[in-house]
Amino acid sequence: MFVSKNLSVNEKGHLTAGGIDTVELAKEYGTPLYVMDEDLIREHCRSFKQSIDKYYGGEGLACYASKAFCCRAMCKIMLEEGMGLDVVSEGELYTALSVGFPPERICFHGNNKTDSEIAFALEKGVGRIIVDNIFELERLNALAEKTGLTANIMYRIKPGIDAHTHNFIMTGQIDSKFGFALETGEAFEAVKKAIECSHINLVGLHCHIGSQIFDIDPFVRAAEVMLTFIAKIRDELKFEVKELNLGGGFGIKYTEEDAPVAYDRYMEKVSEKVKEVCAEKNIALPFILIEPGRSVAAPAGITLYTVGGRKVIPNIRTYISVDGGMGDNPRYALYQSKYDFEVANKAAEPKTDVVTVAGKCCETGDLLGEGVSVQHVEVGDTLAVLATGAYNYSMSSNYNRIPKPAVVMIKGGESRVVVKRETLDDVIRNDLL
Ligand code: LLP
């Protein structure tokens, strides 16, 4: 009935998440409120890990892409689940290290890492720095030389795969700001250069073909393309690339229109192809890394709002105004992303309204959805947006100086705050006169 399996309706007709009444959560912690289900997050981690064990003899590591949802509690969960971590800035790295996350299980990404970020990653012993371009390689080698360290790196490669997804989040094709192009020979030249660098250890290659992908095929094709390149490197440069990082991008169910594949189907098919190509080209099976972000976090989250207004524009549309908006969820404004909505205090009732859900920002495009089908909405209702666990809190802003909402984590029927609600003092904290 709901897009996420941890959601249900209780005897009061209220929406529950992880067995907890969301109307009560809204009362206790206030709105807007992000609610994350720790049990479901852990279940997702385990299914990725188990799929690697089952289909690839455990010779791999699932690294949670923390950009999807990053806070100390989340990093601690990843630590406890034995996951690796993909970080993309000093801030994400700092958050992970602050909970004792082992640096050797961290992949550090970014298409323009600053010198201070590179130095920080080196100093902390980050396991794999994913180098995006030749300038970064040079800076990294120089810094490593200066500090007497050797940097373990992977190269980010554009495998030239069209992942049939939203243009904004399609990154494997040649016209992308990320990585080295294969077709032009740029990647091959870069590999030659890395091998020559005194303080660089090229351990592997990385690709990420996009996000919210439902097809297994593009992943399988990307693996094939990358292994063919690994074979070329072995043949022409006599160099063994030991690791292959295939990135993230596994699609999730936001609405009934979405039909994601089970995570282990992905690993099954990719492993099959990796084994086949390695046998054919006589290369050793690489250690495989994957970087699921959305698929770990998104289905585990919902956002709760309080409805403050209902504006009926005859023959045009009905606006429902909530106490949050593009500040806490910019995804509709950015990508016209579709979500399912529920009036949490009327979750057992039929969806009879079709509305536009508007945020409270001073911006016409501040919408959370249009043509949204929902129960009859009235002022004072608690409105829940489902599957908001990824790229919501992490992409939130203080536009209009609106404090960011709290994040509540639920686990085993209990709730706790893992990120405090910002206060008005937080809003002016860094201002100077
Ligand atoms: N690895 C790399 C190198 C990535 O760039 C990304 C996402 C991931 C892993 C995780 O992908 P996932 O499994 O979450 O699809 N803000 C957009 C999504 C941007 C994704 C950026 N990179 C959104 O809200 O849809």
Side-chain angles (χ1 to χ4, degrees):
M1 175 187 180
F2 296 109
V3 285
S4 301
K5 63 189 253 190
N6 65 330
L7 303 175
S8 186
V9 181
N10 67 12
E11 63 296 341
K12 291 186 188 152
H14 293 179
L15 179 72
T16 62
I20 302 188
D21 188 323
T22 59
V23 180
E24 293 302 320
L25 285 175
K27 265 191 212 141
E28 185 176 350
Y29 299 102
T31 57
L33 185 69
Y34 298 111
V35 180
M36 298 291 292
D37 184 335
E38 180 168 341
D39 297 317
L40 195 52
I41 291 169
R42 287 183 187 271
E43 194 181 313
H44 294 152
C45 293
R46 286 170 200 170
S47 50
F48 278 113
K49 287 198 65 184
Q50 281 158 10
S51 72
I52 295 175
D53 290 346
K54 185 166 169 198
Y55 297 106
Y56 204 66
E59 285 304 302
L61 182 64
C63 300
Y64 167 63
S66 67
K67 70 206 82 182
F69 171 68
C70 186
C71 63
R72 298 185 71 209
M74 188 65 170
C75 291
K76 186 157 176 281
I77 294 169
M78 295 304 133
L79 166 72
E80 289 167 0
E81 289 299 325
M83 297 283 281
L85 210 64
D86 151 357
V87 302
V88 80
S89 73
E90 220 171 350
E92 288 177 355
L93 178 56
Y94 188 79
T95 309
L97 295 174
S98 79
V99 299
F101 202 93
E104 60 278 7
R105 289 217 309 262
I106 297 180
C107 292
F108 189 22
H109 283 273
N111 66 304
N112 190 11
K113 302 177 191 75
T114 63
D115 283 347
S116 109
E117 285 177 318
I118 292 175
F120 186 53
L122 263 179
E123 181 206 328
K124 296 296 176 192
V126 164
R128 296 163 184 92
I129 299 179
I130 319 298
V131 172
D132 177 88
N133 57 70
I134 215 71
F135 309 101
E136 183 184 341
L137 181 81
E138 285 164 2
R139 285 190 293 135
L140 179 57
N141 189 48
L143 262 168
E145 194 167 354
K146 214 158 83 187
T147 43
L149 299 165
T150 296
N152 288 326
I153 71 155
M154 303 188 102
Y155 264 154
R156 176 145 185 182
I157 306 291
K158 291 184 254 198
I161 304 290
D162 171 359
H164 308 294
T165 180
H166 194 294
N167 269 334
F168 294 170
I169 47 181
M170 198 167 79
T171 50
Q173 81 286 16
I174 189 160
D175 183 9
S176 159
K177 71 169 182 168
F178 297 107
F180 296 92
L182 263 189
E183 299 96 305
T184 59
E186 182 191 23
F188 188 70
E189 288 309 312
V191 169
K192 271 201 227 164
K193 185 141 191 184
I195 297 171
E196 286 161 12
C197 282
S198 54
H199 288 72
I200 295 289
N201 178 23
L202 179 66
V203 292
L205 299 180
H206 169 280
C207 69
H208 169 78
I209 56 170
S211 208
Q212 185 63 352
I213 301 169
F214 294 116
D215 253 9
I216 297 184
D217 248 21
F219 291 110
V220 172
R221 275 194 291 140
E224 190 172 10
V225 168
M226 296 294 280
L227 286 164
T228 305
F229 186 46
I230 288 176
K232 177 180 160 83
I233 294 168
R234 191 264 327 263
D235 292 344
E236 296 180 27
L237 303 175
K238 310 282 171 263
F239 183 83
E240 191 192 353
V241 173
K242 296 197 174 71
E243 298 188 354
L244 177 59
N245 186 331
L246 293 167
F250 320 117
I252 71 118
K253 197 177 186 76
Y254 282 108
T255 69
E256 283 309 318
E257 289 167 22
D258 300 327
V261 276
Y263 304 152
D264 72 337
R265 287 282 297 154
Y266 158 81
M267 206 54 211
E268 182 186 2
K269 292 287 162 211
V270 167
S271 299
E272 244 172 59
K273 180 54 87 182
V274 169
K275 287 176 191 162
E276 178 196 313
V277 179
C278 285
E280 193 186 294
K281 302 197 181 289
N282 193 26
I283 44 182
L285 285 178
F287 186 80
I288 298 252
L289 297 104
I290 53 171
E291 298 174 331
R294 187 192 314 273
S295 48
V296 172
I302 61 169
T303 310
L304 301 173
Y305 300 97
T306 300
V307 174
R310 182 184 170 95
K311 207 168 274 180
V312 182
I313 307 180
N315 304 320
I316 300 186
R317 60 167 112 195
T318 297
Y319 281 99
I320 297 298
S321 293
V322 295
D323 54 354
M326 67 188 290
D328 58 80
N329 182 357
R331 296 191 73 256
Y332 187 78
L334 279 174
Y335 322 116
Q336 293 76 54
S337 303
K338 288 191 178 151
Y339 287 99
D340 264 6
F341 293 72
E342 298 285 334
V343 176
N345 48 306
K346 299 173 184 165
E349 293 177 19
K351 293 188 169 177
T352 50
D353 279 11
V354 173
V355 299
T356 290
V357 180
K360 63 187 264 96
C361 286
C362 194
E363 174 111 8
T364 306
D366 172 24
L367 304 175
L368 294 175
E370 291 170 278
V372 164
S373 171
V374 74
Q375 293 86 356
H376 180 62
V377 200
E378 291 159 299
V379 170
D381 282 342
T382 303
L383 189 68
V385 187
L386 312 187
T388 57
Y391 304 113
N392 274 234
Y393 170 70
S394 64
M395 291 175 75
S396 63
S397 78
N398 286 114
Y399 182 44
N400 290 162
R401 294 235 140 177
I402 297 169
K404 289 185 189 176
V407 183
V408 161
M409 193 70 86
I410 51 180
K411 183 189 183 192
E414 304 281 328
S415 63
R416 69 185 194 282
V417 174
V418 293
V419 181
K420 290 193 285 186
R421 183 178 299 284
E422 283 185 353
T423 63
L424 291 174
D425 278 333
D426 289 327
V427 170
I428 59 164
R429 186 166 307 282
N430 294 319
D431 291 9
L432 301 171
L433 294 176

